[in-house]
Structures are given as C-alpha cells and as structure tokens.
Amino acid sequence: MTATPAPNREAQLEAVLQAALHLLGARQDQMLTIEEWTDLARAVAACQQRKTAEYLTEHDLEDIAERYSLEWDEATDGPLPTLDE
C-alpha cells in the first residue's frame, strides 16, 4: 500500500526552501562556517536545479579555492575562481 503525501506537504517544503533561501542571503553577513553554508547551498541548488556556486559569495568561492579542502565538483557545484599566485 502506498501512502499518499499530506495535502500540505508541498506547502511545508516550499516554506523550508524559502527559509533556506533567506538564510543563504544572510551569508553575505559572514555567518557560520563555509562547510555549513556549502552544504546548505548544495541542498537549495539541488532543489532548484542550479549550481552551488550561485548561492555562495565570491569571497566564499575564493576561500574554497585557496584554503579549504572541500570536495567540489564543477559539473554540480559550478566553477571556482582561478587564483593568480
């Protein structure tokens, strides 16, 4: 027997997505760790069929390219900036 989703499930998912989008906007105020923001950006990007990089700041992307050993897939996450040494 297959359970049918609750009628308000779509509304709940939309509310969660909107909250996540607002939180990503707050990222510009330099809150939380880059790992946490990257995870959230990946989740929202997947929901909207976009790239992770579209939800991170240019500074975040530079930090990922320079300092962090985060797994990054350009096909899924988008390009990182090329840094001149």
Side-chain angles (χ1 to χ4, degrees), residues 21-84:
L21 287 169
H22 289 294
L23 188 58
L24 283 168
R27 175 62 186 134
Q28 295 173 345
D29 294 328
Q30 303 299 315
M31 298 165 26
L32 300 177
T33 68
I34 190 66
E35 291 85 359
E36 291 168 316
W37 286 109
T38 301
D39 288 345
L40 181 57
R42 281 184 175 138
V44 172
C47 287
Q48 295 193 318
Q49 298 179 343
R50 296 177 71 180
K51 304 286 185 190
T52 305
E54 295 177 54
Y55 295 101
L56 297 172
T57 66
E58 189 63 30
H59 182 263
D60 291 336
L61 297 173
E62 290 169 359
D63 279 351
I64 292 168
E66 282 181 357
R67 298 181 203 137
Y68 294 96
S69 59
L70 293 175
E71 289 187 28
W72 192 265
D73 177 10
E74 287 200 3
T76 302
D77 295 320
L80 287 174
T82 303
L83 303 173
D84 295 329

Side-chain angles (χ1 to χ4, degrees), residues 10-22:
E10 187 174 329
Q12 290 171 334
L13 291 174
E14 181 63 28
V16 170
L17 178 58
Q18 289 305 311
L21 287 169
H22 289 294

